[in-house]
Amino acid sequence: MNDLEKLVLPLIRPATRVILNKPSLPPENSQFLSHFGGQPYFEEGEEWIKSKNGNNMQFIFQIFNTNDLELPKSIKLVQFFYDWEESAWDTDNDGWFVKIYKELKTDKVITIDKPTEVENSKYCEVEFQTVKSLPDWEGIDLYEPKASDLSYVLDEEEPWKNYQKTVEKLTGEQGYQSQLGGYPNWVQGESTPKNQSGENMKLLFQIDSEDNADIMWGDVGLIYIFYEEQANEIEFTLQCH
């Protein structure tokens, strides 16, 4: 077990847990706050986000970057929109959109009324918590195969148990949650995409099914967004039970 811990320890990445508060009335100028639902941030010349087929998409959330969040420093604001009718499951599907601002022109902010056909969404303010992240059992082979091999040596029938004990010792209990950065916690199996150089892409964020915001991805699932900063490449996948 000590050897397993030594193999896993260097893999630890910081992450930011995103905690949704209970629904509330949006405060004035809420477009300048990190939140789910409500009014998104827009600047002059922009329009409400549409899918490729012309449907107005639902605004899911936005997060303004601060120094204590696990987002790339070049990102000042990240937003996510989704078309529930399309119900996209992966990158090639229509109906999902990640909007990244690398600079903010706060003097150019405008309000765009939500299109009438877009359902009302619950406004939820968010809180952030710094956590440690390790690959789940589905993903450990991708980052340290020796840890997987040793787990089988320790317990051939249930190798994941000792690995999970090690993860909990080093990072605390890891369950499904909305988070920025870190490693994905897969529902159905390892699906980390590769960048153009064949390297594992890093998780930008994963969003859990959130009761407070009335968000359900498939059957109690999660969405995962991966981001390659230099190539400005974004990959999307949804997994559920």
Side-chain angles (χ1 to χ4, degrees):
M1 289 294 289
N2 289 335
D3 290 339
L4 181 57
E5 185 175 328
K6 290 177 182 178
L7 287 171
V8 172
L9 188 61
L11 299 177
I12 292 177
R13 290 178 183 171
T16 303
R17 183 185 177 192
V18 182
I19 304 169
L20 276 67
N21 294 332
K22 292 183 178 179
S24 61
L25 291 176
E28 188 176 355
N29 295 327
S30 63
Q31 63 265 42
F32 292 102
L33 301 176
S34 297
H35 60 82
F36 279 63
Q39 176 64 39
Y41 176 99
F42 285 110
E43 294 179 352
E44 289 181 2
E46 296 182 325
E47 298 178 347
W48 194 272
I49 302 299
K50 298 177 183 290
S51 59
K52 294 177 182 177
N53 64 13
N55 289 345
N56 288 303
M57 288 198 270
Q58 183 83 45
F59 168 65
I60 304 299
F61 76 91
Q62 66 180 25
I63 291 179
F64 286 89
N65 198 4
T66 59
N67 291 331
D68 56 346
L69 299 184
E70 287 302 320
L71 287 171
K73 301 306 179 186
S74 63
I75 295 178
K76 304 302 181 185
L77 170 65
V78 60
Q79 298 174 328
F80 185 69
F81 294 79
Y82 192 74
D83 184 347
W84 293 105
E85 290 187 8
E86 289 288 337
S87 296
W89 285 80
D90 59 38
T91 301
D92 293 334
N93 295 152
D94 188 17
W96 66 275
F97 188 77
V98 176
K99 187 177 182 182
I100 290 175
Y101 290 84
K102 294 193 173 182
E103 62 175 314
L104 297 173
K105 302 175 182 177
T106 54
D107 59 329
K108 304 292 186 181
V109 171
I110 60 173
T111 298
I112 299 178
D113 293 332
K114 178 178 64 64
T116 55
E117 70 272 21
V118 176
E119 295 182 5
N120 289 325
S121 57
K122 295 180 179 179
Y123 176 86
C124 297
E125 295 185 355
V126 297
E127 298 178 9
F128 303 108
Q129 178 185 6
T130 300
V131 295
K132 296 177 180 179
S133 177
L134 279 168
D136 62 11
W137 175 249
E138 297 287 348
I140 187 58
D141 257 337
L142 204 61
Y143 301 97
E144 183 47 86
K146 291 180 181 179
S148 175
D149 294 341
L150 182 53
S151 296
Y152 276 99
V153 172
L154 293 170
D155 188 339
E156 185 175 358
E157 293 185 359
E158 297 179 319
W160 58 87
K161 283 191 174 181
N162 285 316
Y163 177 72
Q164 189 60 36
K165 287 179 182 178
T166 301
V167 170
E168 291 178 1
K169 179 181 178 181
L170 295 176
T171 67
E173 186 174 353
Q174 287 193 330
Y176 298 120
Q177 63 184 16
S178 297
Q179 74 178 46
L180 311 173
Y183 296 92
N185 196 333
W186 296 108
V187 177
Q188 290 290 348
E190 168 58 44
S191 297
T192 299
K194 305 286 186 181
N195 62 18
Q196 295 177 357
S197 301
E199 301 168 331
N200 297 324
M201 293 182 69
K202 288 188 176 180
L203 182 72
L204 182 63
F205 60 78
Q206 70 178 29
I207 302 299
D208 198 0
S209 292
E210 295 284 357
D211 290 339
N212 283 345
D214 199 20
I215 292 174
M216 178 74 74
W217 307 110
D219 184 9
V220 196
L222 289 86
I223 61 166
Y224 309 83
I225 296 292
F226 295 84
Y227 179 57
E228 177 59 46
E229 188 172 3
Q230 291 185 341
N232 197 32
E233 182 182 356
I234 299 174
E235 295 286 333
F236 164 84
T237 190
L238 184 156
Q239 290 189 357
C240 66
H241 296 279

